[in-house]
Amino acid sequence: MFDSVLIANRGEIACRIIRTLRRLGIRSVVTYTDADADARHVREADAALRVSSYLDVGDVVGAAVRAGAEAVHPGYGFLAENPDLARACADHGIVFVGPPPDAIAAMGDKIRAKRTVAAAGVPVVPGRDEAGLSDDELAAAAMEVGLNAGATVLLKPSAGGGGKGMRRVQDPGGLREAIASARREALGAFGDDTLLVERYIDNPRHIEIQVFADAHGDVVHLGERECSLQRRHQKIVEEAPSPLLGTGPEGERIRAAMGASAVAAARAVGYVGAGTVEYIVSADRPGEYFFMEMNTRLQVEHPVTELAVAIGGRPGLDLVELQLRVAAGEPLPFGQDAVAFAGHAVEARVYAEDPARGFLPTGGRVLLLDEPAGPGVRVDSSLVEGAVVGGSYDPMLAKVIAAGPDRATALHRLDRALASYTLLGVGTNVAFLRSLLADPDVVAGRLDTGLVERRPTEPAEEIPDDVLAAAALERMLALEVPGPGPWDVPDGWRVGRPAWTTWRIAGREVRIRGRAADAEVSVDGAEPVRAAARRHGADLTVDHAGDRTRFVCARDGDVCHLGRDGRVWSLKETEPLAARAAETTAAAGAVRSPMPGTVAAVKAADGDEVVAGQPLVIVEAMKMEHTVTAPVDGVVSGLTVEPGAQVALDEVLAVVTPRGDN
Ligand code: ADP
Ligand code: ADP
Ligand code: MG
């Protein structure tokens, strides 16, 4: 086994790999960029070396050499599926913890991958898999695949990943435009606009098989994971085993067949290490499965396999340990017969995104963090208090995984874990995950990849009165002088009740009189109710009209962050004057950045006359582009950002003054 391993990655996966290295007594070395100088993986590793980018092969291999690492673990994303890193490692006598470069290259190209595995007898999605098709040939292929006969087709970048650049086409009339835009997006994302066309499988479920191969010719599979809960072709919730297959005899038969087919796919490219063979299955015909692609690395959702599978009846599978052992040349320590599901596990991905604003990335500083733990609960996270979540990297912050003897138990534990997931300072999708997991179809295991996007978007809920009261009382607690208040002083300098104080919080009016420990509160002019608050550290206990709630609480300047049950409110307090000034700016058409990110393009200049809806600035953050438009007809001013500039959430990018307003 190795003495020292370099992890060429960041975030939760770097921390997760460090955990296994530590347990095995192996020195962990990580790389980091300037944006990550304080990141958790840097703090946890035994050594950390600066690189210009996680995507720079030369820098990464240079760091491994400098650190004296004998092996490089690439994690997922970044260079994990770049054969150049695997080759560069080999050139420097360093072991790459992953498959041989040729296997990566063969599977990295979807067209080549489908042809290769089809030749090995693996069923692939019907379609045309040929490189170098012109637009006309692609259009003709789409018709052949069934577009003219009422079927839906899918255009995919051959070099694709992360769900980018895919286009579903249902109507021949939209075909040309779909080809053109898929090509544009593929070229931008992968530097290659080669497309393939596939039949779109109706009522699709994403079911993938974990495979493992050693360097001695043994290949096993570790069962499936179902990843049908997706948004924009990206996974949100994954589980093992698949509820479609279950654990009955018919499910076992399909599992064995899919497993054997995945093993054949791995063998077809001389695979070594951990890999995932992704299939699309129509919910209507569970016995029919089609190869989509193979990911030649550890998968984001690998923990559900670790928690649900037992080897020879023993739980505690560690896929990273297995990767390291296989990379060090050890044979697989078990055969196919020893592998079986012993329970159920479900994972939910926690993203820094705002479901109420079209899932745009959020950002900020982690003011308070309390991640769940408990029986059957595991959290793979990259977060620490004080960490800054910016727009430079993928918005996935953590994964919450729950396991149990059966699916209902695992789902229940996951919900409880998410309810106690406390993160203040950075907006997340945790409340959305809880509502998704409570969906009757999800509970029943009736999953398909369209489920998430079919659900109606939940209307932004009005902030409850007791939450507004809590924010105002918290502010009072911080401002109050300890000891009795003026109206408690027995010298009678003041008679009767204290006066009302008005707070403007999140645009609402909260009036309070008394002290935080004994007050009357009225929200938006409603009948006053009795309220009281006490604070112990981050805990804020609030009595409001007789109901007692415990919040966790953190303040950042004039923003009070309150959390309860996996929900978070970030409430900005505005002075009446400041509020008026803000309203004036809004009327003048202040244009704000909807997310932290980088300015990709500037479409207007100061002095331009623009119409409402006209693009002004394009802001980009990991995998997401957003066009900021003029809110009203008028004249642009204050537009100083340039392409490449970093912008913060809500930063004013420009002001559009309505015509005749100046
Ligand atoms: P999976 O099937 O494991 O979700 P994806 O192909 O979606 O695989 O990508 C794996 C993960 O790698 C993503 O969820 C994302 O977190 C990360 N990732 C993908 N591309 C990048 C990238 N260019 N930079 C950083 N992280 C990335
Ligand atoms: P990526 O490399 O981006 O992960 P995939 O080929 O794995 O690309 O496709 C991503 C997702 O798109 C799948 O998880 C699935 O939900 C959907 N998808 C892909 N191919 C098909 C298809 N032929 N029919 C229906 N859905 C598909
Ligand atoms: Mg995929």
Side-chain angles (χ1 to χ4, degrees), residues 34 38 44 61 110 190 202 241 250 261 317 362 394 420 422 456 481 505 524 649:
D34 288 343
D38 291 324
E44 289 184 349
V61 175
K110 289 196 205 303
F190 313 111
D202 289 321
E250 179 60 8
S261 150
L317 175 64
T362 61
D394 191 79
S420 67
T422 305
V481 193
I505 295 171
D524 289 338
L649 172 70

Side-chain angles (χ1 to χ4, degrees), residues 331-495:
L332 278 173
F334 55 84
Q336 189 65 58
D337 290 348
V339 180
F341 279 116
H344 200 99
V346 189
E347 169 183 283
R349 299 188 185 192
V350 177
Y351 285 105
E353 64 186 16
D354 185 352
R357 300 212 299 173
F359 294 90
L360 286 178
T362 61
R365 183 179 293 277
V366 180
L367 301 172
L368 192 137
L369 178 70
D370 187 6
E371 297 185 305
V377 172
R378 161 172 164 184
V379 178
D380 284 12
S381 171
S382 61
L383 293 172
V384 274
E385 279 179 15
V388 174
V389 176
S392 320
Y393 297 110
D394 191 79
M396 196 180 80
L397 301 176
K399 307 179 305 208
V400 181
I401 311 109
D406 50 50
R407 185 169 188 267
T409 309
L411 280 175
H412 180 72
R413 286 178 171 168
L414 183 56
D415 181 66
R416 295 328 303 155
L418 289 170
S420 67
Y421 192 98
T422 305
L423 166 55
L424 300 186
V426 181
T428 71
N429 64 338
V430 169
F432 166 82
L433 290 170
R434 286 193 69 202
S435 95
L436 177 61
L437 289 165
D439 185 292
D441 284 331
V442 174
V443 171
R446 283 189 300 268
L447 312 176
D448 73 273
T449 60
L451 186 148
V452 172
E453 271 152 303
R454 271 197 314 273
R455 297 178 81 228
T457 41
E458 284 153 35
E461 189 196 316
E462 181 160 291
I463 303 164
D465 286 1
D466 66 328
V467 174
L468 291 164
L473 292 168
E474 186 272 336
R475 186 77 167 128
M476 283 175 66
L477 280 173
L479 295 173
E480 275 175 5
V481 193
W487 44 87
D488 298 326
V489 180
D491 66 1
W493 69 272
R494 184 161 175 185
V495 274

